[in-house]
Amino acid sequence: MTEPIDSQYDDTPLPEPEMVDEDGDGEADPSEDNGEDLSYLVPETEVVWDVPPSFNIPPTDMGGGGDGPPTEETIEPSGDLRVDLGALRTSEKSVLTEARGAVEKYEEVRALVASVKDTVFGQGAEDKYERSGDNSNSMSYDPQSGKSVANPFAATGEAFAAEMNPQMQRALLEVGSTIEKLGEYIALLNHAGQVYAEADRQSRFPDPPPKA
């Protein structure tokens, strides 16, 4: 008997999940998602900006502020403030490039999962019928010849797919949602640039008072 092989990629493997066996049949109970089609949860992602909107565009209200009436609290001036919009734009474009790559790979995996989920685990697998005990001298007619029969592992594939497909779809949901959050972050970066640029345009001395 050979010694166990230590994996160089998994020094601290996770413990096996505890088996849930409420019916006491000695086998793991199906999960709540067993057999469910959760493809409706899987988001489609895309990058809508080829070029980020200009900082010279006045910012729009993105919400998120308080709903209550403004307070009368006095806010002290912040002092001098310097923002490098060029550096901000460079960083924004860099993140946008990474987002495009993430979307491309995610959409590739999402399309692959959708195309093979009904067969990838051997669901519905069939084998060509072969007559047992056949030999070259036998010329008898067999009505099953040329037909297909169910693969003996097809039922196991169906049971495995019932558990695995929902898990794959939930994993895609997590990844897709993360990419969407990245898109929101990029939009906030662009909005911040527009806000600072608008503040700069509005930072000017008021018109002198009219002469008496």
Side-chain angles (χ1 to χ4, degrees), residues 101-191:
V103 166
E104 180 180 353
K105 291 298 183 181
Y106 167 80
E107 286 298 317
E108 180 181 330
V109 174
R110 185 184 67 81
L112 178 61
V113 170
S115 66
V116 303
K117 67 183 181 66
D118 295 328
T119 58
V120 68
F121 301 116
Q123 311 98 292
E126 295 182 341
D127 295 329
K128 288 293 184 181
Y129 172 77
E130 294 182 2
R131 181 168 51 185
S132 60
D134 197 8
N135 57 69
S136 59
N137 296 324
S138 175
M139 300 296 292
S140 61
Y141 170 72
D142 188 342
Q144 298 297 323
S145 179
K147 295 184 179 181
S148 297
V149 295
N151 184 285
F153 295 104
T156 302
E158 292 282 353
F160 184 75
E163 284 289 337
M164 185 55 66
N165 276 335
Q167 296 301 319
M168 290 196 305
Q169 290 161 342
R170 286 199 177 278
L172 286 171
L173 170 62
E174 294 294 330
V175 176
S177 298
T178 301
I179 293 176
E180 289 179 343
K181 288 297 182 183
L182 177 59
E184 293 177 9
Y185 173 72
I186 296 172
L188 287 173
L189 283 179
N190 200 81
H191 183 261

Side-chain angles (χ1 to χ4, degrees), residues 4-180:
I5 299 175
D6 294 328
S7 171
Q8 59 178 316
Y9 302 106
D10 194 3
D11 296 333
T12 55
L14 296 175
E16 290 292 330
E18 296 183 5
M19 184 179 70
V20 178
D21 183 19
E22 294 183 353
D23 54 14
D25 62 355
E27 297 183 0
D29 296 339
S31 67
E32 294 182 357
D33 292 335
N34 183 276
E36 296 291 332
D37 183 5
L38 304 181
S39 57
Y40 68 94
L41 294 176
V42 179
E44 295 184 28
T45 60
E46 63 176 334
V47 178
V48 297
W49 286 349
D50 293 328
V51 178
S54 171
F55 290 157
N56 292 325
I57 300 175
T60 57
D61 185 8
M62 299 186 68
D67 296 330
T71 63
E72 296 183 357
E73 179 182 358
T74 300
I75 300 177
E76 295 295 330
S78 64
D80 294 340
L81 180 66
R82 184 180 183 277
V83 177
D84 189 340
L85 292 179
L88 178 59
R89 177 64 87 197
T90 299
S91 299
E92 181 187 6
K93 288 183 176 179
S94 176
V95 178
L96 193 57
T97 298
E98 295 298 326
R100 289 194 185 97
V103 166
E104 180 180 353
K105 291 298 183 181
Y106 167 80
E107 286 298 317
E108 180 181 330
V109 174
R110 185 184 67 81
L112 178 61
V113 170
S115 66
V116 303
K117 67 183 181 66
D118 295 328
T119 58
V120 68
F121 301 116
Q123 311 98 292
E126 295 182 341
D127 295 329
K128 288 293 184 181
Y129 172 77
E130 294 182 2
R131 181 168 51 185
S132 60
D134 197 8
N135 57 69
S136 59
N137 296 324
S138 175
M139 300 296 292
S140 61
Y141 170 72
D142 188 342
Q144 298 297 323
S145 179
K147 295 184 179 181
S148 297
V149 295
N151 184 285
F153 295 104
T156 302
E158 292 282 353
F160 184 75
E163 284 289 337
M164 185 55 66
N165 276 335
Q167 296 301 319
M168 290 196 305
Q169 290 161 342
R170 286 199 177 278
L172 286 171
L173 170 62
E174 294 294 330
V175 176
S177 298
T178 301
I179 293 176
E180 289 179 343

